[in-house]
Amino acid sequence: MTTTPAIDLRSDTVTRPTDPMRAAMASAPVGDDQYGEDPTCNRLQARVAEMLGKEAALWMPSGTMANQVALRVLTRPGDEVIVSRECHAGWHETGGSAANAGVQLVEIGARGVFTVAEFEAAIKSRSMAVFPPSTLVEIENTHNRSGGIVFPQDEVERICASARRRGLASFLDGARLWNASIAGGRPEADLAAPFDLVAVSFSKGLGAPGGSMLAGPKDLIAAATRHRRMLGGAMRQVGIFAAAALHGLDHHRERLADDHANASLFAELLAASSAVEIDPASVQTNIVVFKLAPGAIDADALVARARGRGVLLNAFGGRAVRAVTHLDVSREQARRGAEVLLELLG
Ligand SMILES: *Cc1c(COP(=O)(O)O)cnc(C)c1O
């Protein structure tokens, strides 16, 4: 009996390393990274610092830890952090921002973005002794829960300039900054330039089995090194992972455009159904979040039935579903995935 492999649209984290990536991992020179002696990790850190236009970059085991360390470096307990609605740090890190950094998050804007006016209106006045100090603004680009949208760079520049004038630090959660760069045709360094600290991930669209990085000026990266250790995230022969990240940067970055085209195709096909609410023009990168129209089955039921047909998705709340394209989803599979959903939705 032959079984058709599942079409796994749950996340771009489900990719498994390709054979050439595994070969690069197997042959990577390694050393003890806590003595600064892992040549492959050092090479990756130098390369990513250069790509992001920052002085230094630091390996992190996960994007969540990169975010948590950034919060600890740039804030003090009791501070307030201004963020986009449904940001990763607030929704996908199990309360870590409060537990690890002791900060409270204030969500502003809509659909993952906000304006400089909304940002300035959210800054609490330092003249009021009872207010928590607003000390950091965080932008997520691309924005995961809002469907992989790219934050408009003009607005990023205005927000970060305003933050600097007002004495707030700035942090970019760029787990999918590679996608934002490919979609907008702008180098990562341009997108990262306005920020004090920037996080990027290798375990999403680039297809590596793990790893993220935090980049910024040397003094902030030195502080981040201490917090990484404190959180238990300092590793040893990490070059095995870093080699996969280097391979991903060399071979899987340009092809993100294919994932974006496949996500658009998927959304266009779904838009034909009256049971689905989606504007295909809103799909900018590799994430499609669609709503189920009134009268259609709910998200959990659709996800369960799709699984029975070999199509894996994630429910995002009761009436929304997320599909993500990646290295292990071909154009034909994206098409087939949408066709199965159309059949299930009737
Ligand atoms: C995936 C993701 C992260 C990091 O997640 P890990 O699973 O911890 O690597 C951070 N921010 C955003 C926006 C993400 O989508």
Side-chain angles (χ1 to χ4, degrees):
M1 198 180 94
T2 57
T3 51
T4 318
I7 300 173
D8 196 342
L9 299 166
R10 287 173 300 172
S11 175
D12 45 10
T13 58
V14 301
T15 54
R16 275 162 290 203
T18 60
D19 288 341
M21 184 180 275
R22 285 176 184 264
M25 296 170 77
S27 64
V30 297
D32 191 329
D33 185 49
Q34 290 197 55
Y35 290 92
E37 290 174 2
D38 190 295
T40 309
C41 186
N42 289 343
R43 196 148 68 81
L44 179 65
Q45 288 179 160
R47 177 162 174 191
V48 169
E50 164 143 19
M51 282 183 88
L52 297 177
K54 302 296 183 196
E55 273 178 4
L58 182 67
W59 171 266
M60 292 283 168
S62 71
T64 297
M65 189 175 285
N67 284 354
Q68 293 299 314
V69 166
L71 288 175
R72 287 177 69 145
V73 168
L74 296 173
T75 65
R76 300 179 63 178
D79 286 0
E80 198 159 90
V81 181
I82 299 171
V83 300
S84 55
R85 281 202 201 288
E86 300 198 24
C87 69
H88 196 276
W91 285 63
H92 288 205
E93 298 179 16
T94 71
S97 305
N100 294 320
V103 293
Q104 53 193 41
L105 306 180
V106 177
E107 293 190 349
I108 63 169
R111 290 177 297 281
V113 300
F114 51 85
T115 63
V116 67
E118 287 168 324
F119 163 64
E120 289 178 347
I123 300 173
K124 294 209 166 50
S125 167
R126 302 234 171 140
S127 66
M128 283 292 285
V130 294
F131 286 164
S134 312
T135 55
L136 175 65
V137 60
E138 183 198 298
I139 282 175
E140 188 174 309
N141 194 13
T142 68
H143 196 281
N144 180 352
R145 293 186 61 92
S146 301
I149 61 150
V150 178
F151 208 109
Q153 192 61 16
D154 291 353
E155 208 62 27
V156 167
E157 281 162 15
R158 283 191 283 269
I159 291 163
C160 291
S162 168
R164 201 146 285 152
R165 280 196 306 275
R166 310 278 296 262
L168 281 80
S170 54
F171 170 56
L172 171 62
D173 176 356
R176 293 189 182 82
L177 196 66
W178 324 110
N179 298 83
S181 168
I182 293 289
R186 294 187 69 160
E188 288 84 354
D190 282 10
L191 306 181
F195 294 92
D196 294 317
L197 280 180
V198 178
V200 291
S201 291
F202 310 113
S203 54
K204 305 273 170 85
L206 296 183
S212 285
M213 217 160 250
L214 198 56
K218 279 186 180 146
D219 59 334
L220 295 183
I221 294 303
T225 306
R226 177 181 177 219
H227 286 289
R228 181 183 69 172
R229 175 77 184 172
M230 210 186 287
L231 291 173
M235 295 167 71
R236 302 293 179 172
Q237 287 74 27
V238 74
I240 304 260
F241 275 97
L246 285 164
H247 182 89
L249 285 172
D250 285 337
H251 301 285
H252 299 159
R253 186 179 161 279
E254 298 292 333
R255 65 154 301 288
L256 292 172
D258 299 342
D259 295 343
H260 301 173
N262 293 344
S264 287
L265 170 71
F266 180 87
E268 279 158 23
L269 291 170
L270 277 191
S273 168
S274 59
V276 172
E277 292 174 1
I278 174 88
D279 172 11
S282 71
V283 176
Q284 298 175 2
T285 59
N286 67 327
I287 303 179
V288 180
V289 176
F290 60 93
K291 289 212 177 86
L292 294 158
I297 58 174
D298 67 23
D300 285 338
L302 179 63
V303 167
R305 286 180 207 179
R307 178 174 276 272
R309 298 280 307 272
V311 179
L312 309 185
L313 304 148
N314 276 335
F316 256 36
R319 303 294 297 166
V321 175
R322 187 186 75 167
V324 185
T325 56
H326 52 77
L327 195 56
D328 291 350
V329 176
S330 67
R331 188 159 182 85
E332 198 38 49
Q333 287 178 312
R335 179 192 303 281
R336 182 73 201 131
E339 284 167 0
V340 165
L341 294 185
L342 290 174
E343 283 167 32
L344 293 172
L345 289 164

